[in-house]
Amino acid sequence: MARNSFKIFPGALVCEESKLRGDITVGAGTIIHPSASIIAEAGPIIIGENCLIEEQAKIIHRLPFDQQNKDNTPVLIIGSHNVFEVDCTIEAPKIGNNNVFESKCFVGNKVTVSNGCTIGAGCRITDEQILKENISIFGSKCQIRESIDKPVPQILQMETLMKILPNYHHIRKPNKKH
Amino acid sequence: MSYITGPDVVKYACTCGLLKPIPQLYFCKHCLQIRCRFCVCHEVDSIFCGKCSENIPSAEARVKKNRCANCFICPSCQQELSTRIASKGPANPDDAKSPIKKTYYLSCYFCRWSSRDVGIPDQPSATGGWPERENVHINRLQEVLDTYKQIMHSEKQQKESDKRKQRGKFVSYTDKTGVTASALRKRIGLPDIPHAMLKKPKPPEPAVAKAEVDELPESIFTEPIKLMEVTTIEQRLMQPECQPLTVDKLFPVHKQLSIKQSLRCRTCEHNVSKPEYNPNSVKFKIQLLAYCYIPEVRFVTVEPLRAGQTVELIIKFTNPTQYQTTITILDLDLDEQAQYVEEQKLIDLTQNLEQALSLQEKQPMSLPSLPYSSGSQPSSLLSLPRLPSVIVKPRKIFTETNCDVAIPESSFILPPRDDAAEYDDSSEVHNFEDDPKLIKWRKSNKAFVKLAVTPRADLKLGDEVVCGFTMQHIYTNVLPPAVENKQPQKYDHKVRVFLTLGKVVGSE
Ligand SMILES: [Zn+2]
Ligand SMILES: [Zn+2]
Ligand SMILES: [Zn+2]
Ligand SMILES: [Zn+2]
């Protein structure tokens, strides 16, 4: 694994207790809760702006077995306005914008997530596929439907967290300029 | 209820002859008998909507086809829909101070379906006025419904007129003011026209069976199927009147109402379970669960079972009541139960005979309706004289036991339940003279009992071993409420307990 190196843009809120490993870049306005883990095992992770990464969420950059031992290091790029809810495990190699990963869902490392998708609570997605835009996966049988709109962003919740979290936790200082 | 008894290893015999685990049984304090859901009378206490928690009178519920007028469920995933606000800019764009216009739409938090998905316009008020979809078959359904209503009505009229004729020829001048129209007609020699409603109703056009159906469109074979646009079977069956084939025809469905149910002992007509009226409350006014009154038997362990060999079985007895009880283990004696069944049959027969005789003496009257039909008005039921409700006849217990239990000679005492005992280790002193051959260990209101069981010699490998015994315990009745100087009454109550011990294993 690569050496730890974190780039945090101003306006991001990264709690010191969060478990960060490897080369990680955090965009402005993104909130990372104290016990979230982000593990850049196979290569750097770049997180976009205004993402919300909640408690116990795990974002792991891990390659499938058949793609390991290649020369080029892949970069996991996560877009903006994504929500990673409590205790989700995400290993997707690419994530677009405005996605919601609900509590305890699992997304395997062969699934590419586009934009505006909702992975429902407890749903496990492991087969190799590209999730189309605005798809929601829900229920115990992982039913799929297409929505007309992307999920509503949680602006109010994020604003509150921005105010409250620094009162109770140590925050990593931003080390990047715009 | 998922009670921790897990797999149904221990079953109790209900008075009606069915075997059930104790969490599924009730205990009627008035008859001192075990009852189960099969042998009690089920009544609808109240009808309510589980989302808005509103009680709905039964007549209104019937008109609304047992659905809530205000609450909807998601046509896509069957969860409840919530109303969401969308602000649509100021009502008057030129005037910055004019209030922001709010509109409302329905949305599902679970699968993200929304009323906008299918083009239902946003509503100006939160409570709805949501457009209802027209049922294309409404005319036909109404026609059939009307016909049945007419048939019902004419049958009722027929019955009434039959009754009138039976009552005798002397009371045709019922009206105080004089003669009836029909009598007058007879008197002046005009033919008596039958009542309009007595006419045979016209049957609706019968449905026609058809073997030929339209050919499948060509596209179904050539174009790839879009799974995202096709509805699932569940989604179609949710809307039986139109059964939409594609997701763009899914409409919000009114939420089905729920009921609160009370259970009544059929023998003494007291409630064994009665919920509180308030839909928000999950409590009960009356809840006579058997496991609150009857000692619980739990299987602890048994030595490997071999055909014809006596092995040690350990079971645990727990006293759930506030009173000390004495437990005696008796023979199963299924013959006695069979005899009881016969007796009940006889009693039933004589009662029926008496009833028939007394009915003959009195005026013929229509049979009282079952409490089922008047279920929604329990108060009116109470005001009625005691009706002979249908009693479920007990039947023989058919479970075969294939394992003999050595009946212990002595009985043992179980102290009352003490909720504080769990936190208090110091006062574990019992002065019970326990038979060490019977009691292995005891703690507060529990006792571990050793029994010697012998699976029958003719059992084969892998056969399920079932044993049974009768548990006699002392039930202390606190009913009627504390009359002066009256001690709580004690009764001997017997219940047959069956244990599934496991399978026969091979020799050592
Ligand atoms: Zn029963
Ligand atoms: Zn409702
Ligand atoms: Zn839904
Ligand atoms: Zn009773």
Side-chain angles (χ1 to χ4, degrees), chain A residues 116-118 135-136 138-139 141 143-152, chain B residues 76-77 84 105 109-114 116-117 227-229 232 234-235:
Chain A
C117 295
T118 308
I135 265 181
S136 28
F138 61 96
K141 289 181 200 154
Q143 260 174 283
I144 302 182
R145 65 176 297 276
E146 211 173 345
S147 309
I148 46 165
D149 246 343
K150 57 180 193 283
V152 190
Chain B
S76 167
C77 69
R84 276 182 127 165
Y105 65 99
Y109 285 116
F110 196 61
C111 72
R112 286 180 56 213
W113 182 92
S114 88
R116 291 169 166 181
D117 280 22
L227 279 176
M228 218 74 87
E229 285 171 14
T232 63
E234 283 89 5
Q235 288 167 350

Side-chain angles (χ1 to χ4, degrees), chain B residues 111 114 142 174 271 277 285 290 312 351 407 431 488 504:
Chain B
C111 72
S114 88
Q142 199 57 49
T174 45
N271 277 113
Y277 183 68
K285 281 187 208 152
E312 193 182 78
Q351 264 177 359
I407 301 303
N431 295 318
V504 175

